[in-house]
Amino acid sequence: MITFLDLRAQQTNPFTPKGSPPKSPSKVVKGKTVERRAIDVTGIVIHQTACVYGPSADRAKAYQRAIGIPAHAVAFRDGCVALPAPLSWYLYTSNGLNSRTLGLEVEGVYPGKPDGKVWGSAPATPLDELARDTARAALKRLVDEGRALGMPIEWIYAHRQSNGQKPSDCGYELWRDVVLAYGVAELGLKTRCMETLDDGKPIPRDWDPSSTAPY
């Protein structure tokens, strides 16, 4: 069973998590986080957290940590979707895509390639059925709530497309099982595999058969 934890009433404005550096994780003008026009938000960027938050015996604290993550939704591995920030907020989460997308973080360390190798030293996290379904539920929540607010959400991207320093973000399993098998096939979202911003990299053909790009 998937549960939703709405943390938005607890969030500070501007977005200033406890212990964060002086620069806010959100775009701030006159002391408040910038709110984007709904019509300008047309897509979603999927990320992996590249870590697992805390031991299984203390997951309630892990869920609360979502309030410090600059994302519009955080999908934890065990069936909880946290909503830490209003969808209109301009968060520094997806580099050049910040102004026109919602950010979805998926808990776990997922390989960039089918060979199982991950970016960094942490061991790979298996994308089991519950983790997959939680990520799918988070994606649907963003699509449904965003569209209800007037956001013409149509596109879905991986973070690597706007940040070439994170080539494994979101990872081939999340792209295959959450983006293609659900976001595209069930929710009607569209991909732009070859689109990049700044130093971003296109979606590789290892992830998506419609792409012609190498990893």
Side-chain angles (χ1 to χ4, degrees):
M1 179 179 177
I2 309 299
T3 60
F4 292 88
L5 178 63
D6 196 335
L7 299 171
R8 289 174 286 195
Q10 303 175 40
Q11 187 57 266
T12 58
N13 189 0
F15 192 116
T16 311
K18 183 178 179 181
S20 68
K23 183 178 179 180
S24 173
S26 63
K27 185 176 183 178
V28 177
V29 174
K30 295 182 179 179
K32 296 293 183 181
T33 296
V34 169
E35 295 199 40
R36 304 167 297 176
R37 298 188 309 163
I39 193 67
D40 294 331
V41 181
T42 60
I44 294 170
V45 179
I46 185 168
H47 308 243
Q48 61 163 302
T49 62
C51 67
V52 174
Y53 291 101
S56 58
D58 198 11
R59 293 298 281 172
K61 286 186 178 180
Y63 303 153
Q64 286 295 321
R65 288 185 64 180
I67 203 166
I69 299 173
H72 299 95
V74 181
F76 289 95
R77 293 186 47 75
D78 49 4
C80 177
V81 176
L83 305 168
L87 302 196
S88 62
W89 278 17
Y90 189 123
L91 302 180
Y92 292 132
T93 182
S94 304
N95 301 87
L97 289 166
N98 290 332
S99 65
R100 54 185 167 105
T101 60
L102 303 176
L104 168 58
E105 287 277 1
V106 181
E107 182 189 27
V109 183
Y110 301 104
K113 294 183 178 182
D115 61 13
K117 294 181 179 179
V118 299
W119 185 69
S121 59
T125 308
L127 183 66
D128 60 26
E129 184 175 350
L130 181 56
R132 180 203 67 192
D133 289 350
T134 308
R136 289 179 174 185
L139 180 59
K140 186 176 189 302
R141 176 65 177 254
L142 289 180
V143 171
D144 291 347
E145 187 172 328
R147 288 175 176 170
L149 292 171
M151 298 175 177
I153 294 175
E154 181 178 9
W155 305 99
I156 187 163
Y157 308 89
H159 191 200
R160 68 173 270 143
Q161 292 179 263
S162 59
N163 188 338
Q165 303 305 307
K166 295 186 176 182
S168 297
D169 202 359
C170 62
Y172 89 94
E173 290 174 295
L174 289 179
W175 190 263
R176 179 193 65 195
D177 294 344
V178 177
V179 173
L180 296 181
Y182 186 72
V184 173
E186 300 293 332
L187 301 181
L189 297 174
K190 301 174 185 177
T191 63
R192 286 171 163 165
C193 289
M194 302 306 294
E195 180 177 339
T196 62
L197 289 91
D198 302 321
D199 67 342
K201 299 178 181 293
I203 299 299
R205 54 178 171 263
D206 286 342
W207 295 13
D208 193 322
S210 69
S211 175
T212 60
Y215 185 77

